[in-house]
Amino acid sequence: MRHALRLIALGLLLVLQGMAGAATPAPPATVPDTIEQRVAACIACHGREGATTNAGYFPRLAGKPAGYLFNQLVSFREGRRFNTDMAYMVQHLSDAYLREMAEYFAGLQLPYPPVSPVSDATPEQLQRGSQLVREGDAARGIPACVQCHGAALTGVQPAIPGLLGLPRLYVSSQLGAWLTNERHAMAPDCMADIGRRMSTADINAVASWLAVQPMPADTRPAAALPAPLPVKCGGMPAK
């Protein structure tokens, strides 16, 4: 009898220990404190590692010049550019943090998706877009895009972005924002001046032509321009 009671007590003890073990929560997973983890929220809109999405609006971040990305983050924080989500995310971040984010995305060298040559733009629109991008319109004070964004249109260090590999809707909306005075940059705001000289037809032509251009073999921003900028731009260091 006494032996049986001992067995029962031992069984109850094992049951209670098992219940206690089951009730003990597992230790929380440790989230790594890395820049990759801290900028993960950017992926929701800009795509995996900032490479872009197929949503047709959000720009690519990967491989852009760090100076350009930093300037844009500061502009969102200080109200020169406005997007509800972007303004909320950066409103309390320091310059040092924004620069770290910019340098992280600038250092990502990810492949570009294939560019479709199909467009609903007319041949005349595409020809006009090509003319504005490569030659500009001197009579209206519009410099060629290649004079600032590089001969390959992949951008220029340290702060001029590339124009290829971007959704047409994004390019046209941003050019349109310069035209309508809804987007601003650090003074002197060269793109605001240029944008206001462009018509809606010009903007559609440029965006349509850029959207169907294939990416060059080397997609990195140029180290420097072969000649001085045709206009002064606040985002570029003075020479």
Side-chain angles (χ1 to χ4, degrees), residues 137-178:
D137 189 333
R140 294 162 58 199
I142 302 174
C145 299
V146 294
Q147 288 183 267
C148 297
H149 295 270
L153 297 170
T154 56
V156 182
Q157 296 289 2
I160 298 179
L163 299 180
L164 301 182
L166 291 167
R168 182 175 70 169
L169 176 60
Y170 177 77
V171 175
S172 62
S173 67
Q174 296 310 301
L175 287 173
W178 297 115

Side-chain angles (χ1 to χ4, degrees), residues 19-98:
M19 292 175 62
T24 302
T30 301
V31 177
D33 184 18
T34 62
I35 185 62
E36 293 89 346
Q37 177 62 32
R38 283 182 268 142
V39 300
C42 305
I43 298 172
C45 294
H46 293 276
R48 185 186 66 83
E49 296 181 301
T52 199
T53 68
N54 60 0
Y57 183 80
F58 300 101
R60 179 186 177 96
L61 302 181
K64 290 276 178 64
Y68 171 76
L69 294 175
F70 172 74
N71 289 342
Q72 303 319 299
L73 290 169
V74 172
S75 288
F76 279 117
R77 188 187 65 189
E78 297 182 356
R80 286 187 292 268
R81 294 188 65 180
F82 185 74
N83 173 278
T84 303
D85 294 332
M86 286 298 302
Y88 177 79
M89 291 178 66
V90 303
Q91 60 182 328
H92 300 302
L93 300 184
S94 67
D95 280 3
Y97 200 165
L98 297 182

